[in-house]
Amino acid sequence: MTIRLYDTSARQIRDFTPVQPGCVSIYLCGATVQAAPHIGHIRSGLNFDIMRRWFEYRGYDVTFIRNVTDIDDKIINKAHEQKRPWWAIGYENERAFNDAYAALGCLPPTYEPRATGHITEMIEMMQGLIERGHAYEADGNVYFDVRSFDGYLELSRQELDNLLQPSGEGETGKRDPRDFAMWKAVKPGEPSWPTPWGPGRPGWHLECSAMAHKYLGSVFDIHGGGLDLIFPHHENEIAQAKAFGDDFARYWVHNAWVTMAGDKMSKSLGNSVLVSEMVKQWRPIVLRYYLGTPHYRSMIEYSEESLREAEVAFARIEGFVQRALEKAGGEVEPATEVPPAFAEAMDDDLGVPQALAVVHTTVRQGNSALAADDKEAAVARLAEVRAMLGVLGLDPLDPEWAGESGERGETVLNKSVHGVVDSLVRLVLEQRESARGRKDWATADAIRDQLGQSGLVVEDSPQGPRWSLGPR
């Protein structure tokens, strides 16, 4: 068994060999908390949640770090616009991100450090870089000298002479316009921390280099994030860390975007779809299926039609799980191993679409077994399906999804409303059963059709009729 991953720095799929046998260390660039998350933000968390689950299934001990950028130009600008403290905006949106991750079934990270909690580590890194000749102070700012580091731009494969380095307001005193800020001198009305070079605040890139070093050491396995972070963020992280003396990340893994009309989903474009609103319209497990089952390196073009297709596809899986569970007459535990074809797909650069094809094939086999009244085969297929769905975080029988409300967020119906609807539907189903008893098939079918038009699916089972929410 060898897991293989596409390494952005190598531009190819590589066999995964951990720094420490039996262990995997992952650093994922997390939220910049200037606003609530849209589904494009959460896609990254979902993709790396599936990666983590697969490594754990394969027996690795995983350390998963996902940071929070809680000080940034965008957060400060929001604070000025809203006339609120910067830290209040950051904390409010940090909680919104954590609610969104939880609602869509992401496991909590091993550690989730905030940038503002690691100013000491950032100062130490800057001091080391200045001593080594890779950084310099100017007007209270501290800059990284990009020409001092020979490996600069190896990740993004750009030419230094053609580089346009993003710069912010107040970044004065640069020796070269391509040098980037690690520390920004204080401006009126902005938060600041004391340093040997004067008060100020950290630059975005420095935060991650310092936190990765603190929690994962001088070398770790995987650094992840969205494609948009390759330059300048990840390129600058590498420069800082390696010039400081770290080997840094062995593998660079980047997920693609969620797009709308071909554009990356972003707040600045005004085309974002907030998770907090989406979970009111769609079941969170369906959103996870929609965002998590395309290959992590493939773009997702958002549309309600594609979400409905995901809802229908997942309903087929859920329907089999429920029918097979009834046939079993009791609880069915997940199989101890997933089918070989599923494992082969996941080992090959987390091939979730190919792995999902194995899930649907197994569901079809299970439905055939149910149709043939083969209880043993149906139960065996259910155990396999549960094992595969568990790896993807999509097992509808998992206790994490079983509750109608809780730390994973609310689903379409809360418990009390579900109970009321169930009582009303049961009354209608009793009328249908009476019609069937009279052999009044037309009335029985009409009742079922009317329920279907209301968004409810009625299925006849050996235990009697049951209802569920159907695809919209």
Side-chain angles (χ1 to χ4, degrees):
M1 176 276 297
T2 300
I3 295 176
R4 307 176 72 232
L5 295 172
Y6 183 85
D7 180 5
T8 304
S9 61
R11 298 296 193 275
Q12 64 180 355
I13 294 176
R14 297 172 53 204
D15 289 351
F16 176 75
T17 303
V19 173
Q20 182 179 345
C23 298
V24 178
S25 46
I26 303 172
Y27 185 95
L28 174 63
C29 283
T32 298
V33 287
Q34 85 270 17
H38 56 64
I39 58 174
H41 292 127
I42 301 303
R43 183 190 182 185
S44 180
L46 276 174
N47 289 152
F48 285 90
D49 182 67
I50 291 171
M51 172 191 283
R52 172 191 186 170
R53 289 170 184 265
W54 184 244
F55 274 120
E56 289 179 345
Y57 172 82
R58 282 303 198 190
Y60 288 94
D61 181 11
V62 179
T63 300
F64 181 65
I65 310 300
R66 187 182 66 216
N67 76 291
V68 175
T69 297
D70 61 341
I71 187 66
D72 175 84
D73 289 341
K74 296 175 183 177
I75 296 171
I76 293 170
N77 291 338
K78 287 282 185 182
H80 290 159
E81 290 171 12
Q82 299 178 18
K83 296 180 171 53
R84 297 173 61 202
W86 63 271
W87 44 263
I89 290 172
Y91 184 60
E92 174 184 280
N93 292 310
E94 179 184 340
R95 292 184 65 181
F97 267 88
N98 284 333
D99 287 346
Y101 288 130
L104 271 61
C106 293
L107 299 171
T110 311
Y111 305 108
E112 192 169 27
R114 294 189 185 105
T116 55
H118 298 80
I119 301 297
T120 300
E121 289 83 0
M122 297 178 204
I123 292 172
E124 290 173 353
M125 181 166 279
M126 286 188 288
Q127 287 174 325
L129 289 169
I130 290 172
E131 291 169 1
R132 291 170 174 81
H134 293 292
Y136 58 95
E137 182 271 339
D139 301 333
N141 302 294
V142 178
Y143 298 110
F144 186 90
D145 180 355
V146 297
R147 289 191 179 274
S148 73
F149 179 65
D150 290 339
Y152 192 57
L153 300 180
E154 286 185 356
L155 181 67
S156 58
R157 300 194 179 183
Q158 300 181 79
E159 293 293 331
L160 184 60
D161 290 339
N162 299 327
L163 180 66
L164 293 175
Q165 177 74 53
S167 292
E169 182 184 350
E171 294 185 10
T172 60
K174 285 187 180 181
R175 297 174 183 171
D176 187 310
R178 285 158 290 205
D179 293 346
F180 62 87
M182 294 190 294
W183 191 261
K184 300 184 179 186
V186 66
K187 300 187 195 67
E190 288 192 354
S192 65
W193 289 261
T195 75
W197 314 285
R201 60 183 174 86
W204 178 30
H205 316 304
L206 177 65
E207 297 171 354
C208 284
S209 296
M211 288 186 284
H213 178 87
K214 178 176 178 65
Y215 290 93
L216 297 177
S218 62
V219 59
F220 58 96
D221 294 308
I222 299 167
H223 195 310
L227 284 173
D228 52 318
L229 300 183
I230 294 175
F231 181 84
H233 187 48
H234 289 167
E235 196 73 78
N236 292 352
E237 277 190 65
I238 292 170
Q240 293 164 151
K242 291 197 171 184
F244 184 70
D246 290 354
D247 287 336
F248 212 46
R250 292 280 187 86
Y251 299 81
W252 286 86
V253 179
H254 293 91
N255 63 277
W257 303 330
V258 179
T259 61
M260 294 180 73
D263 289 325
K264 175 197 167 193
M265 186 173 288
S266 68
K267 300 185 189 74
S268 61
L269 291 176
N271 60 4
S272 59
V273 184
L274 296 181
V275 176
S276 59
E277 294 302 313
M278 295 292 285
V279 296
K280 296 175 183 176
Q281 304 172 51
W282 304 89
R283 295 172 57 210
I285 197 169
V286 169
L287 283 174
R288 182 180 177 97
Y289 184 95
Y290 171 68
L291 293 171
T293 53
H295 194 275
Y296 75 90
R297 289 193 285 121
S298 299
M299 297 291 183
I300 298 175
E301 175 68 16
Y302 170 79
S303 70
E304 287 209 3
E305 181 181 357
S306 57
L307 250 170
R308 282 192 292 271
E309 290 171 355
E311 184 180 48
V312 170
F314 189 69
R316 294 193 200 103
I317 297 172
E318 275 189 310
F320 163 70
V321 169
Q322 186 60 42
R323 290 189 295 272
L325 196 62
E326 290 178 357
K327 172 64 73 174
E331 188 173 354
V332 175
E333 293 295 326
T336 55
E337 294 185 2
V338 298
F342 181 95
E344 182 179 354
M346 292 297 290
D347 282 340
D348 187 12
D349 194 30
L350 304 176
V352 174
Q354 294 78 13
L356 192 64
V358 180
V359 173
H360 283 287
T361 296
T362 309
V363 165
R364 286 194 293 271
Q365 293 169 347
N367 282 328
S368 297
L370 288 172
D373 200 25
D374 186 344
K375 176 180 176 180
E376 183 178 352
V379 169
R381 299 295 82 74
L382 173 58
E384 291 172 348
V385 167
R386 287 202 66 192
M388 292 185 283
L389 292 178
V391 166
L392 300 176
L394 288 167
D395 181 3
L397 299 182
D398 190 296
E400 298 290 355
W401 292 114
E404 297 294 344
S405 63
E407 69 173 306
R408 289 225 181 270
E410 293 186 353
T411 57
V412 175
L413 295 174
N414 63 35
K415 288 182 178 178
S416 60
V417 175
H418 187 282
V420 172
V421 174
D422 183 65
S423 297
L424 293 173
V425 174
R426 291 292 169 194
L427 288 173
V428 177
L429 290 179
E430 286 176 10
Q431 296 175 19
R432 179 172 176 266
E433 286 302 290
S434 295
R436 285 163 60 90
R438 300 191 306 270
K439 297 186 178 180
D440 184 358
W441 309 118
T443 298
D445 290 346
I447 291 173
R448 183 170 64 180
D449 291 344
Q450 287 174 356
L451 288 172
Q453 291 172 8
S454 301
L456 302 175
V457 174
V458 176
E459 294 181 88
D460 295 308
S461 71
Q463 289 76 31
R466 64 164 180 263
W467 69 272
S468 62
L469 287 172
R472 65 200 71 197

